[in-house]
Amino acid sequence: MNEHYKFVNDPLPYAYNALEPYIDEKTMRLHHDKHLQTYIDNLNNILKDYPDLQKLSLEQLLVNIDRLPAAIQVPVQNNAGGVFNHRFYFFNMINTNIKQPVGLLAVNIKRTFGSYEEFQGRLTAAALSVFGSGYAWLVTDRNGILKIITTPNQNTPLAQNLWPVLIVDVWEHAYYLKHFNVRADYIKNWFQVINWNWANNNYISCIGR
Ligand code: MN
């Protein structure tokens, strides 16, 4: 995955229809090829006149928003955030038989939330609570302490020194074609396509960052 200007839209790590019947092919095509592409194009366009900033990675841009030229702080937040969040979202899904947490992440989800079911209920409630557009996340700090948070628009947890473990996109474009206005059904289906191996590897690599 390319992490610096000029950003490109890498293909999905699976076929557009791979998440059927939980998330439909048409939504995935539009979400990846149109929505994410727009954030990438906008971000490249914003950075084209700032050669110094072109050396920064996506993560570095997002962590240093406050130090960027004032005129581009909001557009970079919105569009670099849009790229980061969507890449993370697409990678945190897969269609497999593994429907429960694995490894150290499984141990610490149980320790933190009591059970997988309790965790699922808490993340679902957070995702339902997002008013307007945004995301719900399972995040960790560098000590491996897990927490559920929400962010509005294209904000990320990076600025709070938190690293994402899982993300669920609850912008309407993520579910409206298949699930219409019923966000709860989409969230239920999203739980069926979580890439738990990826999430666990990601969690382990975040600890001590
Ligand atoms: Mn989206």
Side-chain angles (χ1 to χ4, degrees):
M1 202 183 299
N2 85 311
E3 286 298 337
H4 296 80
Y5 183 90
K6 195 173 183 179
F7 293 96
V8 297
N9 196 3
D10 296 316
L12 287 173
Y14 40 73
Y16 291 104
N17 64 359
L19 305 181
E20 297 267 9
Y22 306 107
I23 298 181
D24 60 296
E25 175 176 352
K26 193 168 185 189
T27 294
M28 293 303 293
R29 280 190 187 278
L30 288 167
H31 207 169
H32 177 271
D33 295 1
K34 304 296 183 191
H35 289 276
L36 175 52
Q37 186 67 55
T38 300
Y39 288 115
I40 286 176
D41 293 345
N42 289 344
L43 181 58
N44 285 333
N45 201 36
I46 293 161
L47 296 178
K48 74 178 190 309
D49 298 326
Y50 296 90
D52 288 351
L53 301 183
Q54 293 172 7
K55 297 174 199 139
L56 298 182
S57 70
L58 195 56
E59 190 185 323
Q60 287 168 330
L61 285 167
L62 287 164
V63 170
N64 292 295
I65 288 286
D66 293 349
R67 284 174 229 166
L68 302 181
I72 62 167
Q73 286 185 6
V74 171
V76 168
Q77 173 62 70
N78 288 343
N79 290 287
V83 176
F84 181 88
N85 292 344
H86 282 100
R87 284 177 167 182
F88 204 93
Y89 173 71
F90 292 134
F91 270 93
N92 93 168
M93 297 188 290
I94 195 170
N95 205 346
T96 73
N97 293 326
I98 301 167
K99 307 288 188 191
Q100 300 264 329
V102 299
L104 181 64
L105 181 57
V107 172
N108 284 347
I109 281 177
K110 191 161 183 213
R111 184 175 294 163
T112 307
F113 302 100
S115 66
Y116 172 69
E117 290 69 27
E118 185 69 22
F119 158 75
Q120 195 173 20
R122 293 266 303 274
L123 185 53
T124 298
L128 287 172
S129 79
V130 175
F131 181 76
S133 297
Y135 298 86
W137 309 76
L138 177 66
V139 296
T140 180
D141 67 11
R142 63 189 68 240
N143 299 316
I145 304 296
L146 291 167
K147 198 159 76 163
I148 289 169
I149 65 166
T150 64
T151 55
N153 303 316
Q154 294 297 356
N155 290 12
T156 76
L158 300 179
Q160 306 170 47
N161 275 324
L162 295 170
W163 191 254
V165 177
L166 287 173
I167 181 175
V168 54
D169 186 343
V170 292
W171 285 59
E172 282 187 343
H173 65 237
Y175 60 88
Y176 205 84
L177 292 179
K178 177 181 171 70
H179 302 89
F180 308 109
N181 58 321
V182 190
R183 190 189 286 182
D185 286 354
Y186 156 70
I187 295 165
K188 199 180 290 177
N189 276 332
W190 174 79
F191 273 100
Q192 298 300 310
V193 291
I194 296 174
N195 188 341
W196 284 111
N197 279 317
W198 184 85
N200 183 50
N201 290 338
N202 189 41
Y203 175 56
I204 291 167
S205 73
C206 293
I207 299 172
R209 273 173 73 99

